[in-house]
Amino acid sequence: MTVKVSKPAINVREELADLKKPTGIAGEAMLRAETPQEQQALIGVGRRNAIINGLAQVSQRGDYTSATSMTVNNYYIDRWKAYSSGGTNTIQHVTSSQPSTLAGSKSIKILSSSGGTIALGASQIIEDYQFFVGKELTISGWMKSNNSNSRFLVSDHVTWNAVGDAHSGSGNWEFITGTITLSSSATGLTLSPRISTSTAGAVSVSANDYIEFTGAQLELGKVATPFEHRSYGEELALCQRYYWRPPSAASFYAYQYQPSYRMAQVRMPVEMRATPTVQYNTNGGSSWQAYNHNNTHIGYYATASNTSASNVYIYDLKCDAEL
Amino acid sequence: MFEVQIDTITNEKSGIYCQTHNHWIPLDPANRHYQEVLDAIILEGADCFDGDIPTDLQTAADEKQFNQQLADYRVAVARLAQYIVADGRNQVTESQPTGEQVWNEETEEMEDVMHDVITVTAIDPVEPTVTRMVYSEDDPMAEPTEETIENPLITTDVAERAEAQAVVDATPQPVKDAA
């Protein structure tokens, strides 16, 4: 005898939800995720932070731990371009009194010496902006300021928009986060902590007003995940794609390749974004000429006889391929 | 001040030397200093160069200037196309097919069913003036007085439109033709 038994269809997810397991809201969300990509986004794994040197650990160009007179559009701490619409200002690499959750971090402080109706801060241009076009981005970071017009701004290289709330101006560290969708017509992507209006315009700034920031993070999605910590070595390598400065005393000797010429060739530690602008000093030889530069190595040759006993080399090399 | 560097091995341009900053700039459009050289040529012309500006650099600078003017012109035209805040905007309605069709017995053809769609919503003009209270700086106890000023929204709109119009007026005709 054959017995037919029919069972009603069951929804496994609902059944699991009924179990008194301590899944919590995050666990429920994981179970409801449709794809591994959604689950990955929920966990916040992988390379998330598009900002390089977010903790301001790398400063290849020099030591700015004392307040340094700031020139607009110059780079000081790696990857962060100084900005002000006017006045006299300083930039400082601060190494103490960091946010408690970012122990060991450093921060960048930009201060207006003169005051005035100005905008000032720093900005970081993201190279791979195409990846973010039309997508929702979350900005987060720590900010300290005594001016209540301090905020994070994002530019799609058409317009500037504030993201998240402005700093209260209390002079204490405040964690600021906000979400923005990068326009589909974006031609670039820049994050800028600055004292300004919500559209990057000038505001009233008193002498000694400042903005200080660290832990800057720009990531896909609408939730600020914990700061993505990278080792100093990783961060340095990322920075060296845009700027490389070996120790100033490092010498790159020229070899004799013709009876009257010597050539110095230097290979960059990482492939640079573009053929860099180069600054260098020379010792010995004459009529130094650049030869066959590209984004992986540079070469210079000089007139120097093979009977000359002098050392011929270049030193104090600086390669700049910043955006 | 810039000067062209010639590679004596190949006898070709190897880069640009910036005397001001003592750095060597590659002939790479992705390099920001190369772009600054082009900007200097646009702004200062031959004054920024020690010797003649090489033809290819001048061509690159002209192209950059053209593209900048074109981009600025497009932004300005788009700004001028926006409604005037002081005037407001009229509603625009268009008759559009719904996607359905019906049989017309007179013409003996299928015809689209049409319906009216608002393609541009109406916006009322803003108040031409606003009043604000003015407090005396000399006497904090004095009663504030009312002051009537032009609506700041209108002031901003007029200024932005004037700026956009100035860009349009200053744009060379070949750039306008390319827009």
Side-chain angles (χ1 to χ4, degrees):
Chain A
M1 186 176 70
T2 304
V3 178
K4 287 187 177 176
V5 178
S6 63
K7 286 184 177 179
I10 59 167
N11 184 324
V12 176
R13 284 190 176 141
E14 284 180 5
E15 293 295 319
L16 286 171
D18 289 342
L19 293 173
K20 295 193 179 300
K21 289 171 71 178
T23 50
I25 294 170
E28 296 275 341
M30 280 299 284
L31 288 171
R32 290 203 171 87
E34 298 284 345
T35 63
Q37 285 81 2
E38 282 183 30
Q39 291 179 321
Q40 184 178 341
L42 286 165
I43 302 169
V45 294
R47 282 280 188 239
R48 290 173 285 116
N49 193 1
I51 297 296
I52 296 171
N53 205 19
L55 290 182
Q57 291 172 303
V58 182
S59 181
Q60 295 182 84
R61 288 172 178 79
D63 179 0
Y64 305 108
T65 49
S66 299
T68 305
S69 180
M70 188 180 98
T71 302
V72 180
N73 291 336
N74 270 17
Y75 284 84
Y76 297 87
I77 290 93
D78 275 58
R79 296 258 50 222
W80 292 101
K81 180 155 66 167
Y83 172 76
S84 77
S85 63
T88 53
N89 312 287
T90 61
I91 187 165
Q92 187 178 359
H93 200 190
V94 181
T95 57
S96 60
S97 303
Q98 299 296 301
S100 57
T101 57
L102 292 175
S105 68
K106 297 174 181 176
S107 52
I108 299 170
K109 180 179 183 179
I110 293 166
L111 179 143
S112 171
S113 310
S114 59
T117 302
I118 55 171
L120 82 158
S123 58
Q124 183 169 138
I125 306 169
I126 313 291
E127 182 183 358
D128 303 321
Y129 77 92
Q130 293 94 339
F131 182 64
F132 299 96
V133 169
K135 295 178 182 167
E136 204 164 27
L137 312 176
T138 295
I139 313 299
S140 58
W142 288 89
M143 190 179 282
K144 187 156 87 168
S145 180
N146 57 357
N147 186 306
S148 59
N149 278 310
S150 298
R151 58 187 94 234
F152 283 115
L153 291 112
V154 165
S155 170
D156 57 10
H157 292 203
V158 181
T159 56
W160 284 97
N161 287 294
V163 183
D165 295 331
H167 191 277
S168 68
S170 64
N172 298 317
W173 283 113
E174 294 177 9
F175 184 71
I176 292 173
T177 181
T179 301
I180 191 168
T181 299
L182 187 64
S183 161
S184 57
S185 58
T187 56
L189 172 59
T190 297
L191 173 68
S192 177
R194 66 172 67 178
I195 302 175
S196 72
T197 66
S198 59
T199 52
V203 293
S204 176
V205 174
S206 303
N208 295 319
D209 275 7
Y210 68 90
I211 179 172
E212 186 177 342
F213 62 93
T214 188
Q217 180 151 289
L218 184 155
E219 60 193 311
L220 281 176
K222 47 186 149 189
V223 178
T225 60
F227 184 80
E228 181 194 348
H229 179 77
R230 294 189 284 248
S231 71
Y232 178 81
E234 285 178 284
E235 211 69 67
L236 176 64
L238 292 173
C239 290
Q240 286 175 337
R241 176 169 171 76
Y242 305 91
Y243 186 88
W244 176 52
R245 183 181 188 185
S248 58
S251 305
F252 300 94
Y253 281 80
Y255 60 90
Q256 196 83 39
Y257 74 98
Q258 274 190 8
S260 304
Y261 293 102
R262 294 188 197 185
M263 174 85 76
Q265 288 196 313
V266 182
R267 189 165 185 83
M268 286 89 160
V270 300
E271 181 177 306
M272 299 195 79
R273 183 191 65 83
T275 309
T277 301
V278 180
Q279 267 186 299
Y280 62 99
N281 282 317
T282 61
N283 182 85
S286 61
S287 304
W288 284 87
Q289 294 277 343
Y291 179 69
N292 200 18
H293 282 203
N294 60 35
N295 62 343
T296 61
H297 80 279
I298 57 169
Y300 281 95
Y301 65 89
T303 303
S305 163
N306 59 357
T307 58
S308 167
S310 67
N311 288 324
V312 179
Y313 57 87
I314 60 176
Y315 66 100
D316 199 11
L317 186 63
K318 299 163 194 166
C319 299
D320 185 343
E322 261 297 354
L323 285 157
Chain B
M1 185 73 87
F2 303 108
E3 65 179 62
V4 169
Q5 297 283 291
I6 302 294
D7 178 353
T8 50
I9 295 177
T10 61
N11 208 28
E12 291 181 354
K13 287 192 290 293
S14 62
I16 304 159
Y17 176 67
C18 173
Q19 297 169 0
T20 313
H21 297 102
N22 185 31
H23 59 202
W24 179 91
I25 301 168
L27 299 168
D28 181 353
N31 182 288
R32 68 189 170 103
H33 294 112
Y34 173 83
Q35 292 299 326
E36 287 174 10
V37 172
L38 299 186
D39 292 339
I41 293 172
I42 292 169
L43 281 174
E44 303 168 38
D47 290 347
C48 69
F49 246 85
D50 192 353
D52 293 335
I53 298 172
T55 310
D56 52 350
L57 276 178
Q58 185 64 59
T59 303
D62 292 343
E63 191 177 336
K64 181 173 185 178
Q65 185 178 27
F66 186 92
N67 291 335
Q68 281 175 343
Q69 288 175 332
L70 184 60
D72 292 345
Y73 177 75
R74 285 176 172 157
V75 170
V77 168
R79 179 65 187 85
L80 289 172
Q82 292 176 12
Y83 75 96
I84 298 169
V85 170
D87 297 345
R89 188 172 69 182
N90 293 326
Q91 179 175 296
V92 177
T93 308
E94 275 182 20
S95 186
Q96 294 181 352
T98 61
E100 285 183 57
Q101 288 191 321
V102 291
W103 179 254
N104 185 327
E105 292 181 351
E106 288 182 8
T107 60
E108 295 188 338
E109 284 180 353
M110 294 297 285
E111 285 184 353
D112 288 332
V113 176
M114 307 296 283
H115 68 159
D116 289 338
V117 176
I118 298 170
T119 54
V120 178
T121 55
I123 298 176
D124 292 333
V126 298
E127 292 295 328
T129 57
V130 294
T131 55
R132 63 178 182 182
M133 306 305 285
V134 180
Y135 295 85
S136 169
E137 289 182 3
D138 302 327
D139 182 6
M141 301 304 290
E143 285 294 314
T145 56
E146 271 193 3
E147 182 185 50
T148 301
I149 59 167
E150 184 182 53
N151 190 324
L153 293 173
I154 294 176
T155 308
T156 304
D157 186 48
V158 168
E160 288 180 358
R161 295 185 72 83
E163 196 178 331
Q165 188 61 53
V167 170
V168 170
D169 294 343
T171 304
Q173 193 58 43
V175 177
K176 290 179 181 174
D177 294 342

